[in-house]
Amino acid sequence: MIVGNWKMHKTIAEALEFLKKLPSGLCAEDIYLAVPFTALSSVADAAGTKLKVGAQNVSEHKEGAYTGEISIRMLKEAGATFSLVGHSERRTYYHETNQSIAHKLKACLQQGFKPILCIGETASERKAGHTQAVLEKQLSEGIQGLTSEEVLCLAVAYEPVWAIGTGHTATAEMAQETHKLCRELLKKRYTADIAAKIPILYGGSVNPNSIEQIIQQPDIDGALVGGASLEVDSFVKIVTIAREYKS
Ligand code: PGA
């Protein structure tokens, strides 16, 4: 599962240009693009069933007086099938909490909309030896109250904050260790079978050079790609390399 996160990049015209350049053989069910709200409907129309198109954020509310927010129903109507939830940029700049993230996850899953829960420690948390505690808190509070059936539709993305947009990918060993920790936690909460079925993606400066080591780790089921998903060339390379190891 490879998810491109375009963040606040690409107008509708630029997004359609990207799609036009994607080789048709590449497209498949396991490729996801999280695009800006404004481009959702055009990209979903152009992509058809070739890839999954989704949002980068979603409201936990069904509808109402929430200026500037977008509901799951609106996203679905625009052609989205999934959304990132709790990306570290949303936690940092827009003060999203584990509690609001839990509400978003519940709302998505109750409405048949796939959430990708993003978690990750900051550089200072890692330096202080708090990585495990931070991740356990983000993950367990995020999935709080989800039934076994609901959690099976979830994907988790581990993105160390210090690796996002910095060019410093976590080492494959470091990422594997953390992914294993997340898998264990899911196992404790649910069952080994359920934990094995939930995709855990790595994110943070993934590029065509780093994907090969990362994707070979047993508990890494895919990648969440920011910067390198903006150019067709690098995105295609990442998908192609990931496929070699995981298909
Ligand atoms: P990056 O972003 O690949 O540019 O580091 C990843 C993300 O924030 O999802």
Side-chain angles (χ1 to χ4, degrees):
M1 180 173 172
I2 300 290
V3 185
N5 173 15
W6 283 355
K7 309 193 180 188
M8 200 170 74
H9 293 284
K10 295 196 191 292
T11 61
I12 297 173
E14 288 161 355
L16 292 177
E17 197 53 37
F18 177 98
L19 274 203
K20 224 193 272 168
K21 287 194 209 147
L22 265 191
S24 53
L26 184 88
C27 301
E29 283 285 285
D30 53 2
I31 303 177
Y32 292 63
L33 274 184
V35 308
F37 290 133
T38 45
L40 260 178
S41 153
S42 315
V43 172
D45 281 351
T49 54
K50 286 182 191 160
L51 42 86
K52 302 239 164 74
V53 179
Q56 300 164 15
N57 181 34
V58 60
S59 171
E60 73 250 47
H61 302 290
K62 274 208 165 128
E63 64 179 348
Y66 301 103
T67 301
E69 291 291 290
I70 309 275
S71 73
I72 295 167
R73 215 170 122 235
M74 292 168 183
L75 292 177
K76 281 182 164 177
E77 187 195 39
T81 59
F82 78 94
S83 180
L84 304 182
V85 174
H87 188 280
S88 71
E89 284 150 19
R90 305 243 16 120
R91 292 179 190 256
T92 307
Y93 306 138
Y94 305 100
H95 315 295
E96 287 197 11
T97 62
N98 287 332
Q99 200 186 13
S100 69
I101 289 163
H103 290 147
K104 289 180 182 203
L105 290 186
K106 190 79 182 168
C108 285
L109 293 163
Q110 284 179 340
Q111 293 176 61
F113 194 65
K114 187 182 193 71
I116 301 176
L117 167 64
C118 305
I119 59 172
E121 83 286 0
T122 61
S124 57
E125 287 164 344
R126 179 164 279 271
K127 232 187 239 161
H130 297 156
T131 301
Q132 179 164 351
V134 168
L135 295 177
E136 278 183 5
K137 189 169 162 67
Q138 289 179 344
L139 185 54
S140 58
E141 290 186 8
I143 61 174
Q144 202 176 2
L146 298 185
T147 64
S148 305
E149 211 178 29
E150 286 169 345
V151 86
L152 277 169
C153 298
L154 176 78
V156 175
Y158 165 59
E159 298 201 298
V161 178
W162 47 269
I164 297 179
T166 59
H168 303 302
T169 321
T171 63
E173 294 72 28
M174 198 189 274
Q176 164 58 23
E177 192 185 316
T178 318
H179 279 231
K180 194 161 177 236
L181 191 96
C182 298
R183 189 88 65 197
E184 291 296 327
L185 194 134
L186 292 169
K187 208 191 277 185
K188 253 192 257 162
R189 284 278 169 128
Y190 298 93
T191 63
D193 186 48
I194 290 176
K197 285 183 178 144
I198 299 172
I200 308 179
L201 318 177
Y202 170 79
S205 296
V206 171
N207 59 41
N209 295 323
S210 59
I211 186 70
E212 188 164 358
Q213 292 298 317
I214 293 279
I215 205 69
Q216 290 187 55
Q217 304 304 311
D219 286 300
I220 300 184
D221 306 306
L224 177 51
V225 187
S229 74
L230 292 172
E231 297 297 330
V232 174
D233 266 8
S234 47
F235 190 60
V236 168
K237 276 187 193 143
I238 290 169
V239 170
T240 311
I241 296 168
R243 280 219 181 120
E244 274 174 36
Y245 290 97
K246 291 284 174 184
S247 52

